[in-house]
Amino acid sequence: MQRCNDCADKVVDMDSLCTACRMAEWRHFQDEEAAKRLKREALEQHRDAYLGRKKAMRDAIRAGVICALTILLLLAMVAAAKDALQYEWETKPAALKAQGVK
């Protein structure tokens, strides 16, 4: 009768390890693979979260720049409105009257 190299239990056939030791070895390798898979998934999740935060910051900065430019254009339009209205109500009618247009 042959004995297992690890636990000295009875071995079936010509194998050097018993079934229990083979199962323990298989579970050990499965646990290692599962740990590697979990680590890889955690790294992917962290990378996705980082890229999401980076994109959100970039989008927020872009939105802030667009908002600032819109406000500046609005202020420029309001500032130019006084001169435009003065031209339309005073200067233009006077120039047309001087040219003889009713």
Side-chain angles (χ1 to χ4, degrees):
M1 174 174 80
Q2 283 188 329
R3 297 281 177 180
C4 176
N5 291 342
D6 290 344
C7 67
D9 196 15
K10 186 172 109 177
V11 175
V12 179
D13 294 331
M14 302 303 288
D15 204 358
S16 62
L17 296 175
C18 67
T19 305
C21 291
R22 286 270 182 226
M23 289 298 289
E25 183 181 22
W26 179 78
R27 282 190 198 108
H28 171 71
F29 287 127
Q30 291 296 320
D31 291 344
E32 283 183 0
E33 290 298 320
K36 287 179 186 177
R37 187 179 66 247
L38 288 174
K39 184 177 179 181
R40 187 174 56 245
E41 289 172 356
L43 287 173
E44 288 176 4
Q45 288 175 352
H46 288 303
R47 188 187 76 229
D48 290 343
Y50 168 74
L51 292 176
R53 286 190 305 271
K54 186 176 175 182
K55 184 180 182 302
M57 285 297 293
R58 187 176 59 238
D59 291 345
I61 290 171
R62 184 177 295 141
V65 168
I66 290 171
C67 183
L69 288 175
T70 303
I71 290 172
L72 288 175
L73 287 173
L74 179 65
L75 290 175
M77 185 182 75
V78 169
K82 179 185 173 198
D83 293 336
L85 291 175
Q86 182 182 5
Y87 173 77
E88 286 292 328
W89 289 340
E90 297 173 8
T91 310
K92 188 175 175 184
L96 289 175
K97 190 180 258 188
Q99 293 176 0
V101 179
K102 287 187 177 183

